[in-house]
Amino acid sequence: MFKVAVSLALSALLSASCLAADGLQVQGNQLLADGKPIMLRGVAVGDPILARQGRPLSDYQRIARDWHANVVRISLHPSVWKSLPHGQVLDTLEREIGAALDNGMYVILDWHTIGWPDGYYEPIEKDWTDDPADLYDSNFDLAKSFWDAVSTRFGKDGRIIFELWNEPVRTKKEEDEGIPPEWEQLKPYFAQLLQVVRTHSQNVVLATGNDWAYDLRGIREDLLPGVNVAYSWHIYASMDDNDEEQWAEHLDELQTVAPVMVTEWGFQEHTDESFRGTAKSFGTKFVRDFLEGRHLHSTAWCWHPDWTPVMLETDWKTPTPMGRFVMDYLAAPQKMGAEKKGS
């Protein structure tokens, strides 16, 4: 841990000029682009190899132009990194990331594990999916090898954000109520991943808390040291029975000291899954009181017809009720800007 601390201390001394001219930076609780505050609002598209096979890169033009997103979240599952040649995976990511950047969007690249470093990871229910059993493999050396390769390949473009660990979950029992915050246990792992990235890159990184990235308690008083560090938060309909006081307790005012990006949020009306909800029961108050009320960056999950909660019908064009809600939300800042220009 001494070596990690020294490395992070040295990285904190590096000038922001190490970033690309149009790169993102963290300053206090703000995210800056070209030195000016920016709010990132967009969608997540899932894993390009597992979720987007056969899809055209022109999807990113639609997301930017028709959905008015300025950021897109692209995920990569551990099983993909394990099973395919790394050069092939990186080339695929480069095509997808390049298409998003070419359409004026920023990119969040996410290591899409669900589990605890070198411990539990989310099992796959084989009775309803063909996904491999190690889809969410939480092997920590595997994560480090990914971030070493990714930060080497993409780390000179400051428009790309690295989300170091999708959803920390120590045990399946974490679904039960009353699980305490575990940032103290998670922080050393994030410090190691940050050290790997900082060997090659000064790009913004995202760390998070336990309980599927929902519990951010304890981080505000014990931030991950170093420059360009922000935090991710995941929240869905019906979490804590849509109790806003509980949401706020788990956010723990972290957004007052560092940027917070809600890299997964959503609802689905007709489903038996845990995120069942509507714009009325979840979406409207979450956007009003948290995304906008607390100035949180966000990418809604998921711009896909099968990966739930879905924002698209099976034609990949028609938005679902959640999709329409997200479209309206993302269009709102543009409409407000147009109204100001016309006044």
Side-chain angles (χ1 to χ4, degrees):
M1 284 306 299
F2 176 74
K3 290 183 179 179
V4 172
V6 171
S7 176
L8 293 177
L10 289 173
S11 72
L13 298 175
L14 291 174
S15 168
S17 63
C18 293
L19 290 172
D22 51 1
L24 295 166
Q25 298 171 244
V26 171
Q27 185 178 87
N29 69 341
Q30 290 188 320
L31 194 64
L32 307 181
D34 293 326
K36 299 178 182 178
I38 187 173
M39 287 300 300
L40 298 184
R41 302 178 180 91
V43 298
V45 298
D47 187 315
I49 293 173
L50 298 181
R52 290 185 43 76
Q53 283 188 340
R55 291 302 305 168
L57 294 177
S58 58
D59 280 346
Y60 292 102
Q61 182 183 50
R62 290 175 52 209
I63 292 170
R65 181 192 63 201
D66 301 339
W67 287 63
H68 302 286
N70 67 354
V71 63
V72 66
R73 181 185 190 237
I74 298 173
S75 301
L76 200 285
H77 285 79
S79 65
V80 174
W81 189 244
K82 286 174 64 176
S83 63
L84 293 181
H86 291 176
Q88 177 183 336
V89 174
L90 293 171
D91 288 346
T92 299
L93 289 174
E94 185 168 331
R95 288 192 293 272
E96 302 276 328
I97 291 170
L101 297 176
D102 288 346
N103 282 283
M105 295 186 289
Y106 295 93
V107 173
I108 300 169
L109 184 55
D110 148 54
W111 177 244
H112 206 74
T113 182
I114 302 177
W116 198 263
D118 282 336
Y120 167 88
Y121 59 86
E122 184 80 351
I124 298 300
E125 303 294 338
K126 281 298 184 181
D127 56 338
W128 61 272
T129 180
D130 293 328
D131 289 330
D134 59 353
L135 183 69
Y136 299 116
D137 195 334
S138 61
N139 180 279
F140 197 61
D141 284 339
L142 189 68
K144 288 194 289 187
S145 75
F146 175 77
W147 287 118
D148 182 62
V150 162
S151 59
T152 299
R153 182 78 164 255
F154 304 111
K156 296 301 186 288
D157 193 324
R159 296 172 294 175
I160 304 169
I161 297 170
F162 298 144
E163 187 173 355
L164 300 176
W165 195 274
N166 172 47
E167 291 182 339
V169 183
R170 186 186 286 274
T171 170
K172 187 70 173 177
K173 293 181 180 179
E174 203 154 322
E175 291 180 350
D176 301 333
E177 295 182 4
I179 298 297
E182 297 186 292
W183 173 246
E184 184 178 355
Q185 292 77 29
L186 279 171
K187 184 181 177 183
Y189 292 110
F190 279 112
Q192 290 182 57
L193 294 178
L194 180 58
Q195 182 186 24
V196 171
V197 170
R198 289 295 179 254
T199 302
H200 310 289
S201 172
Q202 290 298 306
N203 285 28
V204 173
V205 303
L206 300 179
T208 192
N210 63 299
D211 196 9
W212 280 269
Y214 174 57
D215 195 344
L216 305 186
R217 291 176 294 178
I219 300 177
R220 177 166 48 90
E221 300 88 1
D222 188 22
L223 297 174
L224 195 63
V227 298
N228 289 333
V229 177
Y231 298 88
S232 56
W233 193 36
H234 292 181
I235 183 167
Y236 287 96
S238 300
M239 292 187 78
D240 277 325
D241 297 320
N242 293 327
D243 183 341
E244 290 191 64
E245 290 186 3
Q246 286 296 315
W247 297 348
E249 180 180 331
H250 285 79
L251 177 59
D252 195 32
E253 297 294 327
L254 179 57
Q255 82 283 355
T256 63
V257 297
V260 173
M261 301 187 184
V262 186
T263 53
E264 290 188 22
W265 67 275
F267 60 88
Q268 191 162 319
E269 292 188 10
H270 305 293
T271 181
D272 293 329
E273 297 191 62
S274 60
F275 42 74
R276 183 175 182 177
T278 64
K280 182 177 181 180
S281 69
F282 172 79
T284 298
K285 66 181 182 179
F286 178 66
V287 165
R288 180 191 64 219
D289 298 337
F290 284 82
L291 295 187
E292 294 303 299
R294 289 169 167 82
H295 305 291
L296 309 181
H297 308 265
S298 66
T299 52
W301 180 279
C302 183
W303 199 84
H304 199 277
D306 294 319
W307 287 35
T308 56
V310 297
M311 283 191 274
L312 297 173
E313 300 289 357
T314 55
D315 61 3
W316 282 87
K317 295 179 181 179
T318 308
T320 62
M322 178 193 162
R324 173 52 59 187
F325 180 83
V326 172
M327 286 188 79
D328 290 343
Y329 168 58
L330 297 180
Q334 282 75 18
K335 291 178 180 178
M336 291 173 61
E339 291 171 357
K340 288 181 179 179
K341 289 181 181 179
S343 60

